[in-house]
Amino acid sequence: MKMNKLTTLLSAAVLTSAMSVTAHAQDTIAIVVSTLNNPFFVSMKDGAEAKAKELGYDLIVLDSQNDPSKELSNVEDLSVRGVKAILINPTDSDAVSNAIRIANRANIPVLTLDRGASRGDVVSHIASDNVAGGEMAGKYIMEKVGEKAKVIQLEGIAGTSAARERGEGFMNAVKGSHMDLLASQPADFDRTKGLNVMENLLAANGDVQAVFAQNDEMALGALRAVQASGKKILIVGFDGTDDGIAAVKRGMLGATIAQQPALIGELGVETADKVLKGQTVEKNIPVPLKVITK
């Protein structure tokens, strides 16, 4: 009789454990990406997907197509669907606050990736130190061109924390040196805009010696403009995308300040998992940067 009771208890324990594992496997989290038309964010998404699979979560991936209103509707949809946590890579650090508040009201924990949010309750922010990265780019230009280098900066999307912080870091380097900033203009993290803006800036600043582009896509666009002009100009990008690194290795770009987008995605899911298990997580989780040169 005791043996039957023990068997029953063991069976119940195994069943409960199996049900717990099944329930966990069915837990759904989501990642809302600013745009999947950029290899950096595709790598971030890939990293998140790999870690979610490893930890047993279903992962919903939504593309905001660089549109804050699309981002808002994505988060509204996820709130209705009752996902357990939302990882969001904001289109705009201010505009995303409205989307975050929707998730807050639904008691869904929010984590930001790469770009921060101005307002709203965010459990954790996982990103590279963009200010330090901008400074690294400026120092590299000084090392290669000299203290009095004449430089141009191509800025990212206005309103994003990444553009603001990379610009802040680069300007720290400029102000702490004798570099001459000839122009600084947005090209929205886009390769085609990088080409067009650089063509115009080259026409007005023929003596430029170096360019800092706040991401590799703009750097590669600027490269095409520089090649067409026949000038010899040092170009430094940011992100360390596959295309950016390949251009550095071929000697076409001087350097790229490499982030680790896949790791940002992985850490996002890993941190969300800890939050859902009731563990304490850091408010800001830094991801290391490095300068990649030939």
Side-chain angles (χ1 to χ4, degrees):
M1 186 70 177
K2 286 184 179 179
M3 182 62 71
N4 287 342
K5 186 175 182 181
L6 180 60
T7 303
T8 302
L9 287 171
L10 285 172
S11 298
V14 170
L15 181 60
T16 300
S17 175
M19 287 174 67
S20 175
V21 171
T22 303
H24 176 72
Q26 291 175 343
D27 280 352
T28 300
I29 60 178
I31 180 169
V32 181
V33 185
S34 60
T35 175
L36 288 175
N37 191 30
N38 182 321
F40 178 84
F41 298 121
V42 172
S43 294
M44 182 188 293
K45 182 262 303 178
D46 290 345
E49 285 180 328
K51 182 58 69 172
K53 184 176 181 181
E54 177 189 323
L55 295 177
Y57 288 97
D58 289 330
L59 182 70
I60 297 172
V61 179
L62 296 179
D63 182 357
S64 299
Q65 300 169 356
N66 275 332
D67 180 353
S69 62
K70 175 71 172 171
E71 179 177 72
L72 184 64
S73 64
N74 280 340
V75 173
E76 286 174 337
D77 176 49
L78 293 171
S79 298
V80 171
R81 292 164 75 169
V83 297
K84 298 295 184 182
I86 296 175
L87 314 176
I88 190 161
N89 161 241
T91 58
D92 179 282
S93 297
D94 289 328
V96 74
S97 302
N98 294 323
I100 291 173
R101 287 192 186 108
I102 288 172
N104 292 161
R105 286 196 292 270
N107 293 318
I108 300 170
V110 177
L111 300 88
T112 49
L113 307 181
D114 183 56
R115 300 171 181 170
S118 303
R119 294 176 298 279
D121 183 14
V122 174
V123 178
S124 186
H125 176 56
I126 299 102
S128 305
D129 186 338
N130 284 304
V131 175
E135 291 177 354
M136 289 163 73
K139 288 174 183 175
Y140 179 81
I141 288 171
M142 279 189 283
E143 287 172 11
K144 295 300 176 183
V145 181
E147 277 272 334
K148 296 183 179 179
K150 296 180 185 296
V151 298
I152 283 174
Q153 178 178 218
L154 296 182
E155 304 165 18
I157 297 172
T160 61
S161 59
R164 184 177 62 252
E165 291 164 5
R166 292 172 194 181
E168 178 187 337
F170 184 67
M171 290 309 298
N172 287 344
V174 170
K175 290 171 184 174
S177 70
H178 298 289
M179 281 196 291
D180 183 7
L181 183 63
L182 302 177
S184 185
Q185 191 170 320
D188 297 343
F189 291 134
D190 183 81
R191 190 179 301 201
T192 301
K193 289 182 181 178
L195 166 63
N196 295 336
V197 170
M198 194 65 211
E199 283 177 340
N200 294 332
L201 292 177
L202 278 173
N205 303 277
D207 56 345
V208 61
Q209 297 171 293
V211 174
F212 168 51
Q214 291 181 357
N215 81 338
D216 286 342
E217 287 296 286
M218 293 188 297
L220 293 167
L223 174 64
R224 286 176 57 193
V226 168
Q227 288 173 329
S229 73
K231 295 179 183 292
K232 191 175 173 104
I233 297 171
L234 176 72
I235 302 173
V236 177
F238 202 118
D239 279 346
T241 62
D242 289 344
D243 286 352
I245 292 171
V248 169
K249 297 306 179 186
R250 291 199 301 269
M252 298 162 76
L253 295 182
T256 179
I257 311 301
Q259 297 196 81
Q260 301 184 67
L263 181 57
I264 292 174
E266 289 173 22
L267 287 172
V269 171
E270 204 170 81
T271 307
D273 178 55
K274 290 178 180 177
V275 170
L276 295 176
K277 288 176 177 173
Q279 298 175 21
T280 302
V281 298
E282 294 294 324
K283 193 72 176 174
N284 290 285
I285 299 175
V287 181
L289 288 166
K290 58 183 177 179
V291 180
I292 292 184
T293 63
K294 190 177 179 182

